[in-house]
Amino acid sequence: MPESDLHLDLSPTGPRRAALAAALRDAVRTGRLAPGTRLPPYRALAADLGVARNTVADAYAALVAEGWLTARQGSGTRVAERVAARPTSAPGKPPPHAAHAPHDLRQGQPDATAFPRTAWIAAVRRAVTAAPHDAYAPGDPQGRPELRAALADHLARVRGVRTSPDHIVICSGVAHGLRLLLGGGVLAGPLAVEPYGLPFHRGILDAAGVRTVALGLDPAGARTDLLATHPGTTGRHGARAVLLTPAHQFPTGGPLAPARRTAAVDWARARGGVVLEDDYDGEFRYDREPVGAVQGLDPDHVVHLGSVSKSLSPAIRLGWMVLPPRLTDAVLAAKGQREAWAGVTDQLALADFLTSGQYDRHVRRMRQRYRTRRAALLDALARTAPHVEVTGIAAGLHAVLRLPDGTEAATVAAAARAGLALDGLAAFRHPDSPQPHRDGLVVGYATPPDHRFPAALDALRRVLPPPPQHGAGAA
Amino acid sequence: MPESDLHLDLSPTGPRRAALAAALRDAVRTGRLAPGTRLPPYRALAADLGVARNTVADAYAALVAEGWLTARQGSGTRVAERVAARPTSAPGKPPPHAAHAPHDLRQGQPDATAFPRTAWIAAVRRAVTAAPHDAYAPGDPQGRPELRAALADHLARVRGVRTSPDHIVICSGVAHGLRLLLGGGVLAGPLAVEPYGLPFHRGILDAAGVRTVALGLDPAGARTDLLATHPGTTGRHGARAVLLTPAHQFPTGGPLAPARRTAAVDWARARGGVVLEDDYDGEFRYDREPVGAVQGLDPDHVVHLGSVSKSLSPAIRLGWMVLPPRLTDAVLAAKGQREAWAGVTDQLALADFLTSGQYDRHVRRMRQRYRTRRAALLDALARTAPHVEVTGIAAGLHAVLRLPDGTEAATVAAAARAGLALDGLAAFRHPDSPQPHRDGLVVGYATPPDHRFPAALDALRRVLPPPPQHGAGAA
């Protein structure tokens, strides 16, 4: 800390040197000045306090003599290395997710060790250096133009999205997008949803007072073909918006069939409503059939939502909404006069990451890595638990393991006892889902670092229920 | 773009080469593939689409022959430089604040040209390189431990705040802090406030359904001495929290007198309530009297809120709450399971900026720059408008110019006509303020870049009302 700023309350009367020494002593004693902290130069502190330079020098010298401070040639005056008690310090409490299970197969998290640090630092350097000065003024709530232009190109190329930078709004993630759309007065509830989904999103909708209407689900995906006749999505008070995960139903895993995509868009047109397309992992597909965004079918009736949470890291808080032009102004109004959420450094760096090709390169590298893990998961299950059906693995960062009826809760509990973090399918089920639950596990195979993945698979294998006994009395 | 990802929908029947060529042609024609975009290598696209490598090579060659693509040795195959129409592109609309007034003396914005880019880039590089892997996992909603530790030391040293990293929660700005505290169920309304304040904050409180009760204001600051008897802050349904700007009343400019600070804390203790201390510009003081944080008086009854909006840039979306220990869990519960707002790169970089001394160095440099501007403002007014009283200039990035009664609205209108952006004091007045309004202008002297500041002062001088005529008939 070569130059420190320091606030001291000097008693207004009495000798300045003694008052300053007392104030410094108090600051060290109470822990306000931490051990090792470098004090400001005499000159600087003297100017701040309106006292003579020698007064500061004398006070420092007195405290060095008393052992509160240390002075060493070339490193200035520092607080001595003694433990200073902080008055309000509570006993150390681990943060909520610090208590890691030894094995982590929770869905939704990319391998944190794979974040492309060097490339990201380079992107920050290039982007911050090149940014115009207004990048550091209060931000446009629509998001940086560099990023919106890069996203318009990228999403067109990779996801088949048709838009212009004018109709993209940057946010801090898909959840923020949902808050703006449904809590910000842009769209009114109720909202039709899939019968399985992210509980976190349902929590946001509940907090915004938005009622959700669960659709059915079959092998072709959510029953959007019934939107036009479903009692919750017809009539004056029925839903005019539907939230879907068309590329990869979350978390059960199938893509929405072409006819169901068309049905959703047709319904939105007929109702004057919108389809909210949560494209949470559209970039990670392993089979031969790319599944484009529904948005490309009708940019005027689909809001396309995405983020970098899966592709880069959930710690980079950036997402986007591609909006029907008629909704753009309302979303901007909900967001406010100035950008209050998305930091400019991340926005500029992501724009550079996209246009320089680093983003594609990283996604390609991760897709290869996850493909290998997915193969290892399938191989381990085929060898040791061939009775467990695996679904939803054509895309994304997780698989669904179908379990025999009535075994899910016990399996999740056994996993917890074995130090294996994962979720049962029931955790994602809408409380009013119209169809019966099927037992299953949601296995995120992207979460652990590479070297811990085999052990996590081994832990998984050990907690899976045995094959159902046919003819139990046969033995 | 050395390696591109590309989504294409191939017709499922017919020759692959023709289908691919048609899909590529369509992508270029509709603008999904922008001019200059580099196409993926044959090998990569072939693998993605499940076609032979030669099929891709042939399709590329056909489109090069047709003029859609160009191929050059060493730079791969790119989309030809012809303008591709984007179907939903609207006519260019400037973002809300792009229509800059020629002169900008609005308050609250530091000089955007002074952001310390080089030092910030270096901090990002150091911090991202050194971060543990879990930095890129889903974030702890309390904020990175590196940043909370750095802030605990910094705020103790510079502002006299007494806390520990356990009781700091990172947020994306002071406004986000208020949303969490008052919209998140941590504190119930009504809330006592100063009679002048930021309309943006009042808007947040209104949106959260929190009624505000305006206190009076005199030269010693907000009338916290009346909190114990004020009808809005006593009784069962009275306010139990008061929002203050003790270092520098916003925007009128005085510090809260010592007796008023004590009165606020005493009231909070007696009511079982809290003081919310918005320390929005506590680091920018120009006189000899440092004004410490009220939080230091009673860490159990004061929430200290701050951000980097004034000290670094409003485009870096980071703020903090220093909380009474009994409130920490409730604030974390309001924030959610994972960090949804504050990006990890900014958090890590700010921690480095604080502990490396770069933050202090930047604040010191800016304080000197703003001191010079403040002197230029005072000098210009003394020379050309000696009848205009200037107040609130011991600290911060703005001054208040007192105007003759009844001239404020006309002066603000004249400024707008002259291309000078600034606000009248009335814009900040609480609608139920208990005392009459005094006309004035709020002049932010930090906003323009250095080279435009003299012209902005000149524009200001020209719109100020003339001195009141005493004995108008004397001529």
Side-chain angles (χ1 to χ4, degrees), chain B residues 76-342:
Chain B
T77 306
R78 291 176 184 274
V79 178
E81 292 290 343
R82 43 187 291 163
V83 178
R86 283 231 181 67
T88 59
S89 183
K93 177 177 69 84
H97 64 74
H100 286 302
H103 307 294
D104 193 346
L105 293 176
R106 284 175 297 178
Q107 61 73 36
Q109 307 183 25
D111 178 352
T113 68
F115 181 75
R117 298 183 188 217
T118 310
W120 190 257
I121 291 168
V124 168
R125 180 176 45 72
R126 282 190 302 265
V128 171
T129 304
H133 280 310
D134 75 358
Y136 290 95
D140 181 349
Q142 187 154 13
R144 287 298 305 171
E146 298 91 336
L147 178 55
R148 290 184 284 115
L151 281 170
D153 283 348
H154 175 79
L155 296 173
R157 190 162 49 76
V158 176
R159 306 293 301 128
V161 165
R162 294 187 290 149
T163 190
S164 85
D166 293 343
H167 300 301
I168 296 180
V169 174
I170 303 303
C171 50
S172 78
V174 170
H176 186 201
L178 292 178
R179 272 181 234 258
L180 289 168
L181 289 164
L182 287 146
V186 180
L187 303 175
L191 174 72
V193 297
E194 297 169 321
Y196 288 90
L198 208 53
F200 175 53
H201 286 176
R202 274 203 300 275
I204 288 171
L205 298 169
D206 284 349
V210 174
R211 192 168 59 83
T212 53
V213 175
L215 302 173
L217 183 70
D218 70 13
R223 296 300 305 267
T224 56
D225 52 325
L226 302 181
L227 279 167
T229 54
H230 190 294
T233 54
T234 54
R236 245 180 71 185
H237 301 293
R240 284 171 202 275
V242 58
L243 174 62
L244 299 172
T245 50
H248 187 220
Q249 202 287 320
F250 182 84
T252 66
L256 191 63
R260 296 282 169 85
R261 299 172 157 241
T262 315
V265 170
D266 286 348
W267 170 79
R269 284 180 186 155
R271 288 284 287 174
V274 289
V275 177
L276 307 181
E277 175 175 39
D278 178 3
D279 199 38
Y280 68 103
D281 68 359
E283 284 158 320
F284 290 106
R285 286 205 74 83
Y286 310 108
D287 58 14
R288 300 300 190 190
E289 295 291 334
V291 177
V294 170
Q295 194 271 357
L297 291 180
D298 190 342
D300 290 331
H301 291 92
V302 181
V303 176
H304 180 85
L305 297 134
S307 81
V308 300
S309 285
K310 309 272 187 301
S311 58
L312 284 173
S313 164
I316 306 281
R317 300 309 312 157
L318 283 181
W320 47 85
M321 287 178 271
V322 177
L323 294 162
R326 70 193 149 96
L327 295 185
T328 308
D329 285 346
V331 169
L332 288 176
K335 214 172 161 207
Q337 286 287 306
R338 296 168 164 201
E339 177 62 61
W341 309 108

Side-chain angles (χ1 to χ4, degrees), chain A residues 1-9 30-34 37-38 40 44 46-50 86-93 95-97 100 107-109 112-113 115 117 120-121 124-125 128-142 152-153 156-167 172 176 179 200 287-288 290-293 299-300 313-317 325 329 332 337-346 354-357 360-361 363-364 367, chain B residues 1-9 31-34 37-38 40 44 46-50 86-93 95-97 100 107-110 112-113 115 117 120-121 124-125 128-142 152-153 156-167 172 176 179 200 287-288 290-293 299-300 313-317 325 329 332 337-346 354-357 360-361 363-364 367:
Chain A
M1 284 186 248
E3 286 186 48
S4 303
D5 235 336
L6 178 63
H7 165 72
L8 292 173
D9 279 316
T30 58
R32 277 184 43 219
L33 277 170
T37 303
R38 187 169 175 165
D48 278 356
L49 296 174
R86 283 232 180 67
T88 58
S89 184
K93 177 179 67 82
H97 64 75
H100 285 304
Q107 60 72 37
Q109 306 181 25
T113 67
F115 181 75
R117 297 183 189 216
W120 190 257
I121 291 168
V124 168
R125 179 177 46 72
V128 172
T129 304
H133 281 309
D134 75 359
Y136 291 94
D140 180 348
Q142 187 154 13
D153 282 349
R157 191 164 47 79
V158 176
R159 304 294 301 125
V161 165
R162 293 187 289 150
T163 188
S164 84
D166 294 343
H167 300 301
S172 78
H176 186 203
R179 273 181 232 259
F200 175 55
D287 59 12
R288 301 301 190 192
V291 177
D300 291 331
S313 164
I316 306 279
R317 300 307 313 155
D329 285 346
L332 289 175
Q337 286 287 306
R338 296 169 165 203
E339 177 60 63
W341 310 107
V344 76
T345 308
D346 281 340
L354 287 164
T355 53
S356 68
D360 281 347
R361 189 172 300 148
V363 167
R364 222 173 250 284
R367 199 189 289 142
Chain B
M1 285 185 249
E3 285 186 48
S4 302
D5 236 336
L6 177 62
H7 165 72
L8 292 174
D9 279 316
R32 278 184 43 219
L33 277 170
T37 303
R38 187 168 174 168
D48 279 356
L49 297 175
R86 283 231 181 67
T88 59
S89 183
K93 177 177 69 84
H97 64 74
H100 286 302
Q107 61 73 36
Q109 307 183 25
T113 68
F115 181 75
R117 298 183 188 217
W120 190 257
I121 291 168
V124 168
R125 180 176 45 72
V128 171
T129 304
H133 280 310
D134 75 358
Y136 290 95
D140 181 349
Q142 187 154 13
D153 283 348
R157 190 162 49 76
V158 176
R159 306 293 301 128
V161 165
R162 294 187 290 149
T163 190
S164 85
D166 293 343
H167 300 301
S172 78
H176 186 201
R179 272 181 234 258
F200 175 53
D287 58 14
R288 300 300 190 190
V291 177
D300 290 331
S313 164
I316 306 281
R317 300 309 312 157
D329 285 346
L332 288 176
Q337 286 287 306
R338 296 168 164 201
E339 177 62 61
W341 309 108
V344 76
T345 308
D346 281 341
L354 288 163
T355 54
S356 67
D360 281 348
R361 190 173 299 149
V363 167
R364 221 173 250 286
R367 199 189 287 141

Side-chain angles (χ1 to χ4, degrees), chain A residues 434-467:
Chain A
Q435 57 199 79
H437 180 62
R438 280 198 53 194
D439 284 31
L441 294 180
V442 180
V443 173
Y445 49 80
T447 311
D450 270 349
H451 69 280
R452 308 200 57 171
F453 187 57
L457 282 190
D458 208 46
L460 172 64
R461 184 185 56 74
R462 283 197 303 270
V463 301
L464 289 176

